[in-house]
């Protein structure tokens, strides 16, 4: 029995659930799981259903379109692994965590490649028989470097791009090339400590809790829709390096939780926020 | 515009969402919020909808019954405050927290009375103009005492009974008199430290985290369906009294979170577990 | 047997622990608890000892001064309740929590008075037989209002002033009148969402965790040394009012934890940070 | 400048801090960090100091012995990496996490070998150039298998043995061969769900929070002194496999936190508890 994930994102209207479930029922499909949310401010309707049965992809989409507002976004994804490219720089912990999950079979993804702007992680990645490409930024301006990155990424046609501590700022060209496809891990509890070296900032401020934030990348640095956050307690005895070390545990858990949400089609982007069903 | 909460609890069947939403649509009702859950082990279907419009209570129930399996439990509650009776013994913190929330207007409840087996809390309760009754257990056997408690509770016809650190064990007669209506706070992270003085047990065991558990009361002591739990870190420097003090903060937050879930009709009892929608 | 808390805050030097413990030993005093911390960046030494025995206050201070650097701050407090004044505005939850703890005997404090700029909380406070004064700011400029507040506070000679959601900005005159004596609760996880209506800001930003921060008040709004923080998870379904309600639970726990640390002389102010021993 | 960690564990007595600091001062040693704890129930004194200077190991130990009660345990460890052997069975996540930390240089340890009772993890371990030995239990009784394990472990003379999800019960012979040297990760929030398949037990009980516990191994299964614990929220929608997956994140963080505490000599075993300084 095949399983599909149906994702609908539209303006709210009377009878939406009725009309959608009527189409599914008429197509002899079972609803295995279902969740809806209507945002009270924007009157947007979000629905995620796991359906099973014999799905005629085009017919189902056509019939759903007929009963939904014309602006509705409808996605119908087979429940299967997504192709992913990972970008990194020099740090082991987040990438390493993804690689271990990958070979343990925990990730619902095919990691097609790791692309980095340094070669520090090459040995690690190749241990796992995953293609590694180093595209150094040396001697290149930002646009030239990114063009090379984009070209390389496009070779793999990824559905998702994960920035596993990729420490370069992305231009709007990059962001617009992969809309709603780029997931980043920021090493602070956003919106606290935007920008460079958040652990030094946190140490300076004397906070008692630090955190990490996984978010979609948009044109505004560290301002994209937040997918997942977590925190850990620290105290006066932590140097900024101690905070960084404690934070690494949080970073990898936060990124992998957010990644799993995306791999399972559970996240809708809603303006600058996310709806997670 | 009136709002109702519709709660359906039934064996799963094909087309349930379609059939329910059809009835709502035909009755010209809006679905303001909707959540469903199907348990994969027991194949039970749970649905909670907030609906608005002009509801003809009996007609709607009748029409829903016609499209649902005969074993379906259907509840249709107007969105309004529930009548509640609180039982207590001697401790201030949980009861006091409920009273402050009550006069601050934070609770979706009418507190009809506080009934205790000691009079330590009388002054506190009466400050808030709430009837207080002390039913001492002195000189009475368990059944005699409970009969008096039950009689007094019944005077107030509560929809919910909250045990705010009521430190007596309840008989099955009591439990069966108020089925699925009694919420308790246990001062441990169940199922750890069942029974008497869990903080002493936790201290003895040297745990690094303690917690509290709000659960429905059933015939098995500390074994009822869990509604909410939370925890707090402790360390070797905590005496058992320090643990108790730290635990009090958790107890009151846990009970009030669970209480709010019940007041808002968000909890289904499912065997010895809860489904929270 | 009397117990004292000895607090030493000085530049680090060789043999400090030896020299201090020599004086205590020579005075026939027992060290019941002891904690030290040396900040690696500033080379400042902090020590908190609970000592028991027959203490000759002046002699002990004199002998300690002789073995410590001339800039050393030495405090020797008898272990006893501190006099406290609470400032508030209109909200029940934080003040109510303190009052319940107070009559339950959980607080190591004498609450001398509650002073507010509105009278909404008068009934509540007077239930607990605590003096309540309303000093309205109506028709007064900031300085005039604060002068009245300062005069009233001074009548009670408090060792600590707790802002239990006192929603007015304080001038530097106020801050300097009560140096290192004013504890505030800010309703966000600082430094995120400084300023007005942090819950609206958090809702707007789409964060997945909100928090609260207890800090000493300094001249810079929401920038004083942080004493305690805590957080709670939220999701897309929370309106800003839902966040505020969830946040209230955090606010009261955070303030009361920080308050207890101050009442037990466990907090050193170290530049714009705190050291907690 | 060399750094040493001095660990003292003794019955409490008057002037201990004074006498110890006098010896350190006379030996011209600096106290870089210092923490003490006296257990109020057992009257045991624990002290951990990081000292710097020119240490004459034997002289210092001799002089400390002279001023301490005869039952005192004194350890003086150079601040350096400890030799460690890891035992495992089939699961990737905890072992993989340790390996990534290891090659990232995050661990204060030399991993001398991984020994397992199955060969599932051989490829992974050998990617990291660490010796892997499979000692199958097939056809052996418990004692025979353990004898082989003990012999192999002894070849590496480890200071610590970490059970990274080693799924066999250890005999008292094993435990007594390596006293206070074996750290285990148990996949529940002990003492809840002792024994086999705690995630199934947790699912059955309907808990809302699950956890993991790192503890020293003693003769009583899952009853040894607890070093570190952490938890994560779950809800009714989690199957037991979902709980296991969520729990894996907690297991690896808990084990690595506990491991780091042991590697840095921060843990004293105190009866069936731990004191962490």
């Amino acid at each position: 029995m095949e399983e599909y994930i149906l994702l609908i994102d539209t303006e709210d209207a009377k009878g939406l659930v009725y009309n959608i479930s009527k189409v599914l029922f008429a197509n002899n499909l079972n609803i295995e799981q279902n969740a809806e949310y209507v945002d009270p401010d924007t009157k947007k309707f979000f629905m995620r259903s796991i359906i099973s049965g014999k799905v005629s992809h085009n017919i189902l989409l056509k019939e759903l379109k007929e009963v939904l507002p014309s602006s509705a976004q409808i996605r119908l994804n087979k429940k299967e692994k997504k192709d992913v490219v990972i970008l990194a720089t020099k740090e082991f912990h987040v990438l390493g965590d993804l690689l271990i999950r990958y070979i343990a079979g925990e990730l619902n993804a095919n990691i097609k490649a790791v692309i980095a702007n340094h070669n520090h992680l090459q040995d690690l990645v190749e241990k796992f028989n995953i293609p590694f490409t180093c595209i150094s930024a040396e001697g290149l301006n930002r646009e030239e470097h990114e063009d090379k990155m984009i070209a390389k990424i496009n070779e793999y046609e990824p559905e998702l791009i994960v920035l596993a501590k990729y420490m370069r700022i992305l231009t709007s060209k990059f962001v617009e090339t992969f809309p709603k496809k780029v997931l980043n891990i920021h090493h602070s509890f956003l919106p606290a400590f935007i920008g460079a070296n958040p652990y030094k900032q946190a140490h300076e401020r004397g906070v008692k809790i630090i955190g990490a934030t996984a978010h979609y990348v948009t044109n505004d640095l560290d301002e994209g829709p937040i997918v997942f956050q977590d925190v850990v307690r620290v105290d006066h005895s932590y140097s900024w390096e101690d905070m960084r070390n404690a934070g690494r545990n949080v970073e990898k858990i936060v990124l992998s939780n957010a990644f799993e949400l995306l791999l399972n089609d559970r996240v809708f982007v809603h303006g600058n926020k996310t709806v997670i069903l």
Side-chain angles (χ1 to χ4, degrees), chain A residues 86-88 91 93-95 98 161-168 182-190 195 198-199 211-217 221-222 225 227-230 247-259:
Chain A
I86 301 176
L87 308 196
E91 287 173 88
H93 61 292
V94 175
L95 178 62
L98 294 177
I161 300 163
V162 176
L163 309 189
K165 303 283 288 183
Y166 180 63
M167 304 306 279
R168 289 179 63 83
V182 187
L183 179 67
N184 185 41
I185 177 71
H186 183 75
H187 40 316
S188 87
F189 182 75
L190 289 175
Y199 293 121
T213 304
H215 63 95
Y216 282 100
V217 174
L221 181 66
D222 303 337
V227 179
F228 198 78
Q229 301 187 291
D230 207 352
R248 279 179 174 154
N249 285 339
V250 184
E251 290 171 26
K252 65 191 191 194
I253 297 301
V254 167
L255 183 65
S256 82
N257 274 305
F259 190 27

Side-chain angles (χ1 to χ4, degrees), chain A residues 165-212:
Chain A
K165 303 283 288 183
Y166 180 63
M167 304 306 279
R168 289 179 63 83
I169 293 173
L170 299 169
T171 68
S172 56
K173 180 180 172 188
F174 188 101
V175 174
E176 285 153 20
T177 305
F178 307 109
K180 296 189 190 178
K181 280 192 170 178
V182 187
L183 179 67
N184 185 41
I185 177 71
H186 183 75
H187 40 316
S188 87
F189 182 75
L190 289 175
F193 310 127
I194 287 174
N197 213 328
Y199 293 121
K200 269 194 185 153
Q201 293 182 55
H203 183 255
E204 186 78 15
R205 180 61 187 90
V207 293
K208 301 298 185 185
I209 292 179
I210 58 172

